[in-house]
Amino acid sequence: MSGPPEPRVPILMYHAVSKAPNDATRTLSVTPEAFAEQMALLRTSGYTPVNTAALARSWRDTTPLPGRPVLITFDDGYEGVHRHALPVLARHGFAATLFVSTGWLRGEYDTGGGLDVMLDWDQVRELASSDVEIGGHSHTHPQLDQLADGALRSELRHCREIIADELGVLPASFAYPYGYSSRRVRRAVREAGFTQSLAVGNALARRRQGPYALRRVTVRRSTGIEEFERLVEGRAIARTFARDRALTKGYAMVRRARQVRRKAIRSRV
């Protein structure tokens, strides 16, 4: 006799929240008005936001989650998360997770790679004090699966150490830049001390995906409120992201070919 179906949890992936994003961030941005409308829908539909560490801890320890759990996550570290998203989250009492690329944030570690106006560390600290878990997203936002082992470890270690220095606590959660990972990358993330990590995949998260490959659903500027509701409920996700999946599959083949070529070059050196 089979048991109850495995719970599926929507993990929403946001980037910039902005009225006037630049060309680099426009597609993966949402307007402040759209974000507020989406959060109101979660509230009226009875969802309970939890952060990434809480979800992973629940699945690791087989402890129950609240009714209708959902995760609200932000990648990179854009200033609009503080300016526009935080007041909405605070009004509803929602938890969230922000994954920061430490070399993109304004301050002494800034490498100049940020794609738009980025957070500074005072803003990150205010977010952290307002029920927003701060996780790692590498230091300079590279495609981690394309890095040699030493560079990969450096990206992860530097990111984790900077967050710990600035916030006084080691980050537990990580999100792969661009969603790209491999068995080698996932092992490196675990060895760096992160206890869970998020990919993309555009599917609802399940425990069987494992703590280092949890799927997320992309929310972007073109996501209307009806589509948003369908995504959160897990309806028509495959159809909505069919084109994204085809592009991802094709690019994955290109990236694998690059990895094989680099390994062959290193073996001859």
Side-chain angles (χ1 to χ4, degrees), residues 82-94:
H82 179 273
R83 179 187 297 271
H84 300 299
L86 179 58
V88 177
L89 295 170
R91 183 164 67 246
H92 291 295
F94 283 177

Side-chain angles (χ1 to χ4, degrees), residues 15 74-78 98-101 104-105 118 137 141:
H15 287 77
F74 303 89
D75 282 8
D76 301 346
Y78 298 102
L98 167 67
F99 296 102
V100 295
S101 293
W104 282 15
L105 302 187
M118 309 304 292
H137 197 46
H141 203 280

Side-chain angles (χ1 to χ4, degrees), residues 24-229:
T25 60
R26 177 172 297 277
T27 301
L28 288 178
S29 70
V30 298
T31 66
E33 295 78 14
F35 182 77
E37 185 179 23
Q38 291 160 4
M39 296 302 102
L41 185 146
L42 295 181
R43 165 65 71 190
T44 59
S45 299
Y47 285 94
T48 302
V50 298
N51 65 32
T52 305
L55 174 69
R57 184 168 55 248
S58 173
W59 279 348
R60 192 164 49 240
D61 300 338
T62 63
T63 54
L65 288 164
R68 306 203 84 181
V70 63
L71 273 68
I72 303 162
T73 71
F74 303 89
D75 282 8
D76 301 346
Y78 298 102
E79 194 266 348
V81 176
H82 179 273
R83 179 187 297 271
H84 300 299
L86 179 58
V88 177
L89 295 170
R91 183 164 67 246
H92 291 295
F94 283 177
T97 304
L98 167 67
F99 296 102
V100 295
S101 293
T102 49
W104 282 15
L105 302 187
R106 288 181 288 151
E108 64 176 296
Y109 314 106
D110 190 352
T111 63
L115 300 180
D116 208 328
V117 180
M118 309 304 292
L119 294 162
D120 63 32
W121 284 102
D122 284 341
Q123 293 170 322
V124 174
R125 277 187 281 272
E126 185 175 347
L127 285 157
S129 68
S130 303
D131 207 15
V132 177
E133 176 193 3
I134 308 301
H137 197 46
S138 78
H139 184 56
T140 64
H141 203 280
Q143 297 178 24
L144 295 177
D145 61 341
Q146 300 297 304
L147 298 182
D149 290 346
L152 170 60
R153 288 192 294 268
S154 177
E155 280 284 340
L156 301 174
R157 183 178 63 251
H158 204 30
C159 172
R160 197 160 188 261
E161 289 174 349
I162 289 172
I163 294 173
D165 288 345
E166 290 290 337
L167 304 184
V169 60
L170 286 166
S173 304
F174 188 83
Y176 305 110
Y178 308 102
Y180 300 151
S181 72
S182 64
R183 183 178 299 176
R184 180 178 66 97
V185 170
R186 292 189 289 273
R187 182 175 62 249
V189 168
R190 183 179 67 249
E191 290 173 351
F194 295 100
T195 53
Q196 54 272 330
S197 190
L198 305 184
V200 183
N202 286 313
L204 299 189
R206 302 184 182 199
R207 187 173 183 268
R208 68 184 181 190
Q209 291 164 1
Y212 293 94
L214 295 174
R215 305 283 185 87
R216 291 190 284 177
V217 176
T218 307
V219 184
R220 46 196 170 192
R221 210 165 188 84
S222 61
T223 305
I225 193 62
E226 292 181 356
E227 179 181 312
F228 178 81
E229 184 174 16

Side-chain angles (χ1 to χ4, degrees), residues 200-267:
V200 183
N202 286 313
L204 299 189
R206 302 184 182 199
R207 187 173 183 268
R208 68 184 181 190
Q209 291 164 1
Y212 293 94
L214 295 174
R215 305 283 185 87
R216 291 190 284 177
V217 176
T218 307
V219 184
R220 46 196 170 192
R221 210 165 188 84
S222 61
T223 305
I225 193 62
E226 292 181 356
E227 179 181 312
F228 178 81
E229 184 174 16
R230 289 196 301 270
L231 296 180
V232 174
E233 293 177 353
R235 295 187 286 116
I237 289 181
R239 184 169 69 249
T240 301
F241 293 104
R243 183 172 182 273
D244 302 69
R245 291 177 189 276
L247 291 172
T248 299
K249 186 175 181 180
Y251 193 41
M253 295 175 65
V254 173
R255 287 174 26 247
R256 280 196 295 269
R258 290 175 180 169
Q259 288 176 309
V260 170
R261 187 162 58 248
R262 275 196 295 272
K263 286 180 180 179
I265 291 172
R266 287 199 298 268
S267 68

